Structure formats: C-alpha cells, structure tokens
C-alpha cells in the first residue's frame, strides 16, 4: 500500500489541517472534528449539518458554504462520526431556526445522528432529519438496512441548502430534502477496490477482466461480478437499471451526476457522460442539469456511479441558486 | 487494463461528445477537434489558445471560459494536437486583437504550435507564444528539450486570461504569461504509473514500496527511484527541491498548487497540502492563494505535483479576477 499519509492514526487530523489551510471560506474545529463556514449564516436561517465517514471527499466537507451545508462532521475513514461531533456542529450553527441533519443510510450514521438529534433536542435545538437512500443496487447490505445513501446526497444538500438560504422554515427544508431523495436513484460500477489505509490492502479482490456491478461506496458487494465491457454497454446497463426503479418516462427531465469513485480519469468520466446522455435520449429522458467529476468518492476505487434526480421547475430553480463551496461554485 | 472507454480509437471523439453535453458554457467543434467558449469574447479582446495531448484533464478543455482560455485543442492521449487544430482555433477566436498560444514545453507541442503560428500569421492573425517550462525535475527528458511544462500552465492561463479580459494588448498579455512561468517551479512524485489505453499496460513498473521522484506527466522518468515514505518526508523533499531552484526567501508569498495526478484521493491531497504549508512556514514562505485537487493529471497515475508561483500584488489581483470555466470558477 502506497498512500500519501503520515499514518492511518493521524490521517483525519492531518487532512483537517490541510482543509483548514486550503479553504479560507471554511473554519475547522480540529478538537471537535467539525468543519464550519468561516462566516456563519445570518440569524433565522435553518442550518444544514451532514457528515459521515471520511474517504468520500469532497463529500461532505467540500460542500460546506453559502448555498449548501453549514457544517460537516467527518468520521474516521469509512467510519461514522460520533454523536458528540454532530451535537457540537448543531450547537455551533443553530441560529434559532433549527438544524437539518442530512444522513446517508448506513447503520452507524443513522444511529449516531439519531442519538445526536435527541441530545440536541435536550439542549433546546430543533432538529429534523433527512435520510438519503438512493442506491438501487441492493436492499440491505454490509453496513445498511434498506438502501444505501450515495450520490443523491449532493442534490439533497444543494437543494435543501438553497431553500434554507431563502429563509424557509425547518419543516419545509426537510420536506424538500426528502422530496429530492425520493426523486433520486443511483447505481455504481467498480473496476477496482479501494484500499483503506488502516487495513493496508484492497477491500476485495477483482480479477483484471471483471467488474463489481452495483458496488457500494465502501466496497460493499453489489449485485454480481461481470466481465469488463465497453463503456457504452456498461452505461446502458446502469441507465436501464436506474430507470427500471424510477418514475421516469418520455419527456421527463433529470439532474444527472456522473460521479468518479476516486481513481478514474476525468477523460473516462466524459466518455461515460456522453453515453449516459445518448442512452437517456433513447428513453426520451432529457438531462436538464449535470455534474461530471469526483463528488462522492471511495478513496482510490476506480469506477463510476450514476445518479438521476427527476427534476421539476422548482427543483431546478433551487439547483440553479448560487452556491459557494470548495467543490461546487456558481453564481 | 480496465478503462471506461469504447475503444482507444474512439476515446477522444467520445470524450468530446461528453464534454459538449456536460458543459453548456463550452462549444465543441468535433470535426476540427477544438473546444471553444459557447459565447465568444467581445471584439478587441486578445484570445488565449492552449492545447496538448489528452489525458491531463481538466487541463486544457476545463479551463476554457471567461477569465481563462478562449479555446483548447486536445490531441490524442499523450500526443500533441496537430497544427490544423491550432489554426482552426486561432481563426475561430481571433477578434482582431491577436492570439496568444500557451504551450507546454514538449517537443511535439512546440513544433506544432510553431508551425500553426506561422500558418496563422499567413492568414493575417497576430500570434504570440508563451512557453511553459516549470518542472525542475530534469533538463531534457523523453519528450522534451529543456524543462517540461506542467502545473504552472494553470497559473499562466489564469493570469494571462485575466489580463486579456481587461483589454490588455497581445504583447502585454504574453509578457504576463512569461512572467508567471518564470515565477513558477514544479516537482512531482508518482506512486504508480499511468496506463495509456492504446498501450494497454502501465507506462513503467514501480515496485510496491517505491516511488518515482521527479516524474513527468506522461510518466517520463524523474531523478531517481526511492523508497516510499510518510507524507511529511516526501513533501519536505519536494518543497526543498522546488525552493532550491526558486528565487524565494523569507517573507515571500506564493500561489501554491497541490495537484493530484489522477488516482490519488482528495483526502490524501489535503494531507499533502497541510505538510506543504508547514514546510513552507519553516522557510518563512507564506501561501497567499492555493488550489488543491486534480488540475493537471496523468490519466490514472497516483501521486502529486507541487507548483509554487512567486506572487506579487499584481499577480494576486489577476489571480483573484473572476473566472468561469468547468474546472475553475470564482467571482
């Protein structure tokens, strides 16, 4: 294993030092392990807090800033943050309008965010939660009851974040987040496994000519192993799998995320995106907005995920609202 | 070799189709193999054209847009674009104020851009050229006479681009680009080799516990093989190597680019950036601005490069000027 780290034990602390140095728009509370906006939101704005295991960067720390999150709680690699982090984050960002927890559906995250919500409530902080469970690959998995939360998290954080900036109340912001999750489906293919630094070896073995179809972002097994094939064939299977589970039909519009899992060159992601667009066109589904790049990674895993969020005019307006974070910026 | 492609032969065309679909701000001339701004610049603005082999994305296509390039010419993977592409680009973007070619110092690129400049001049287009040669690792290399051009290209394109948007004349924009190149030094370390799709196997063999110190962005040999070490030690060597060649001293400010070579997780790049900042602080050099991420990649190579550009107030003002491209956006 070759990793640009000092040690698995110091990895998170070292990375947080780098994040603090790299992004003047962020404030890092190293002892609480919370990443915040350097300039807190105006009083009255609902605050958004997310978090999860590290190793998926830019998720979540890269989505902290005006228009998206108020704080992120990074856990150790592929390990849930602890409730203390979440409570510290909620305390730091609550302006009195309440806090929305955005939680990817993994058992550890769900339990810890639930406990944190109870602790925050005892302190008088109003908390609502959106659970993200967009991955259609499997029901129940290594670390999850139900469907796993993956790429839809970006859309949930963006759209709920935009609504919060407009001054919407907590219940409405939470409802919008849930609506985005319900409108989203994801599916991923791995070409290689990720290596967790503390483990020191790839999470699974994959022969040189095989892929894992429906892989999870921690290397959880998917639906099956399959032979490697040309991009157009892989994309056709991914698109068709997502559409088979989705309420999408001719004339519908989507927000499409073609997401690199960490080690896949951007050049290849563009090939994938071109094929996604063509396959969706076969189904008479149109891409209204898109992202192509590394947004929800799995350390050094090669492969990609596709997330399709069914869009309507309101969702697109919120998607288009200004955002200023390390990983997403537009005005 | 597992790659998300249809075939090596169609890779560039397929990727250009994806780029066109992904970025409404870009226009792709698929037959000429030129990527342009969808909305051309105002008359009177000096036009910036760059290009080079594909496989380094987001360089250069991801830097086309207001505040940076007017056009990019992507060649086949790790292969120079041809003069016809460059002339087509110059013809398309010249507003009468002339065209600046920004050329990374590789023999093929240099020869082809030189021929293109002659052909464009015959058509009455004023052309100036900035050669980027910032990599201190080696003098002369597999594909280069002199020093290789790498990460400084981003700063050259950003700063010359900002000056062009302000209406500066061609000679002044070119001079600013040369000044940025002279103020910049880079050095890279590879943990793994890239696999060119048409070759089908890694460009070099690197044992599990060794790194290539001073590697080029096409996998050209560096200064030596060395054992893998903790990030702080690797960064110390990289920073000290760059400073040994640089006119930097106590009190100086730099623009720092910690660049992933393609397969390195962002989490690790943040660790590297934290160490870069600490090591520069030991030398009493301050980071005034920074980028951390994949900007000048080498397909699926794992590793990083560091680029330090000595900054003064004028360079920082131009760096801070608005930019709106797929890979760099701020307002």
């Amino acid at each position: 294993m070759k990793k640009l780290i000092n040690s698995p034990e110091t990895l998170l602390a070292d990375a947080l030092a780098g994040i603090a140095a790299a992004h003047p728009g962020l404030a890092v509370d190293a002892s609480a392990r919370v990443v915040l906006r350097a300039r807190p939101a105006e009083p009255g704005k609902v605050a958004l807090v997310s978090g999860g295991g590290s190793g998926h960067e830019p998720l979540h720390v890269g989505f902290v800033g005006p228009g998206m999150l108020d704080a992120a709680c990074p856990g150790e690699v592929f390990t849930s943050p602890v409730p203390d982090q979440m409570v510290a984050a909620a305390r730091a960002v609550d302006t009195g309008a309440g806090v929305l927890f955005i939680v990817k559906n993994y058992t550890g995250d769900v339990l810890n965010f639930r406990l944190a919500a109870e602790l925050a409530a005892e302190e008088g902080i109003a908390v609502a939660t959106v659970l993200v469970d967009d991955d259609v690959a499997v029901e129940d998995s290594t670390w999850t009851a139900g469907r796993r939360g993956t790429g839809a998290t970006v859309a949930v954080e963006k759209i709920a974040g935009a609504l919060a900036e407009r001054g919407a109340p907590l219940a409405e912001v939470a409802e919008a987040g849930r609506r985005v999750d319900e409108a989203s489906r994801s599916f991923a293919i791995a070409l290689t496994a990720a290596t967790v630094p503390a483990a020191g070896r790839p999470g699974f073995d994959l022969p040189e000519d095989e892929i894992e179809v429906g892989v999870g972002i921690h290397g959880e097994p998917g639906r099956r192993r399959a032979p490697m094939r040309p991009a157009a064939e892989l994309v056709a299977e991914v698109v068709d799998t997502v559409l088979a589970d989705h309420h999408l039909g001719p004339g519908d519009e989507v927000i499409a995320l073609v997401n690199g899992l960490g080690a896949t060159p951007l050049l290849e992601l563009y090939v994938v995106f071109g094929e996604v667009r063509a396959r969706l066109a076969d189904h008479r589904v149109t891409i209204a907005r898109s992202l192509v790049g590394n947004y929800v990674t799995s350390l050094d895993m090669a492969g990609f995920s596709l997330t399709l969020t069914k869009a309507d005019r309101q969702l697109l307006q919120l998607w288009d609202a200004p955002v200023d974070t390390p990983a997403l910026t537009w005005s």
Side-chain angles (χ1 to χ4, degrees), chain A residues 54-203:
Chain A
S54 292
H56 307 301
E57 289 68 28
L59 190 80
H60 297 271
V61 293
F63 299 127
V64 174
M68 276 181 97
L69 299 179
D70 292 83
C73 309
E76 296 289 336
V77 170
F78 291 2
T79 303
S80 175
V82 295
D84 280 357
Q85 289 173 267
M86 300 154 184
V87 175
R91 207 181 283 136
V93 299
D94 182 31
T95 68
V99 176
L100 181 66
F101 284 167
I102 298 172
V103 184
K104 299 194 302 303
N105 190 32
Y106 299 98
T107 303
D109 295 72
V110 172
L111 292 176
N112 287 346
F113 268 107
R114 188 179 299 156
L115 184 53
E118 291 169 11
L119 294 169
E122 286 172 15
E123 296 187 17
I125 301 170
V127 175
T129 297
V130 172
L131 195 68
V132 184
D133 60 348
D134 52 310
D135 185 345
V136 304
V138 292
E139 295 290 336
D140 305 335
S141 178
T142 321
W143 297 357
T144 321
R147 289 182 166 185
R148 304 177 298 222
T150 61
T153 315
V154 179
V156 170
E157 293 178 358
K158 174 67 187 75
I159 287 165
L163 199 58
E165 299 288 348
R166 289 188 184 177
L170 181 57
E172 195 180 323
V173 175
E175 182 52 35
R178 286 182 203 115
R179 205 159 69 82
V180 174
D181 180 57
E182 282 160 20
S184 300
R185 300 290 188 282
S186 296
F187 195 80
I189 283 181
L191 276 52
T192 67
T195 297
V196 173
R201 50 191 300 275

